[in-house]
Amino acid sequence: MTIDITGLAPERIGFAISPLAELGLALHALSEPGHHPGLHGWATATAAALKPDLADRLHEAEFLWRHTFSDVFMPFAGIPGRAGATGSTLAEDLDLLDLLPDERFASAALEITCNLYGVKTPSPLHDPAMRARALELAANRGPRQVDFTRRLLEDPGSVRAWLRRLLEDCDQAFFADTWQRVRVQLAADARHKAELLRRKGLTEAVHAVSAALSLDEGGTRISADKLSVGHTTATDPEPGAGLTFVPTSFGWPHLMVLHAPGWRPVIHYPVHGPELPSPASVELLKLRMEALAHPMRMRLCRNLARSPYTTGELAEQHGISAPEVSRHLAVLKRAGLLTTRRRGRYVLHQLDLTVVARLGSDFLEGVLR
């Protein structure tokens, strides 16, 4: 996932907090608590306190935030000329959502199909072929998605009013208190990163945002280490061009990049806490899984998990040559799965149980990022 920032002036890069974006991820955490083990207490208490009517309405609409994160939660990025300015309250963010043109609202809301994103296409509100395509893709997702898509295409105004009322009711039921609690931390993080950008430059600021982000040597491209593929530019020749970083307290392990055509790019990043591990790179995760997938290396790991062994001991135990054992150990070592220590003239190898125990979490966080 890459963002072209060639020639982008530093003042076009900013950090901001967004109540609506945070509400979107809070709703995601409510519907997918398995993605967010650190939020189980909040999700359980919040879900238990919901009135049945609101709980039913959230269930009906959860496809907007459960399996994909709709850009309707970041409307500030889709309004030309705003330079990425977010609302200071949820009501102001919802006012921005009201300003989003119908075509952009529809394209963002139809991310539920997962196949209309990242490619500039005619609006399904006006193009019969795209309308048919949107309904076909929605049918693959389920009857609720089909009903929503049909209502949106026939009367976008009523759907927009329905969504705003739902989000306002969420604010009244639980989010106002939640936002009051998290906004101070988010604002402090945004200020800190903005000051880091001003004093030490973009490389330091990007690294502080997430270890999964990197800036190329020429300072022309930001890359996000994600399994998804996409590209956008922050340098479109329009007044609102630029890049916005938005922190979230509900997002981990997700690192999201808004890269819809014509929208201002946004990097929505989780605020790092001391209890959260640094993410393993996708390449390292791939290397470790490939290293452990070989039958012989799995057998060697059975020994190495229990006790330190020399190359000769492993060769004798498994009936293979010492050079062959060395080749397998080299693969495991390159993947960071082994520790070694010397005892006299012998080198002892052992499986790093902490790293292997993390592998399941690394895999889950990698595919969710």
Side-chain angles (χ1 to χ4, degrees), residues 266-282:
V266 177
I267 296 177
H268 201 189
Y269 67 94
V271 172
H272 185 75
E275 75 283 0
L276 301 180
S278 296
S281 71
V282 171

Side-chain angles (χ1 to χ4, degrees), residues 266-324:
V266 177
I267 296 177
H268 201 189
Y269 67 94
V271 172
H272 185 75
E275 75 283 0
L276 301 180
S278 296
S281 71
V282 171
E283 185 59 34
L284 181 58
L285 176 61
K286 178 173 176 285
L287 196 66
R288 286 176 174 170
M289 295 181 72
E290 289 176 346
L292 292 172
H294 193 284
M296 178 52 72
R297 288 196 284 275
M298 289 182 69
R299 290 171 61 192
L300 293 173
C301 284
R302 187 175 186 278
N303 297 93
L304 295 167
R306 288 163 170 76
S307 173
Y309 280 83
T310 67
T311 301
E313 289 171 335
L314 290 169
E316 182 177 353
Q317 187 137 3
H318 292 277
I320 59 177
S321 68
E324 188 174 354

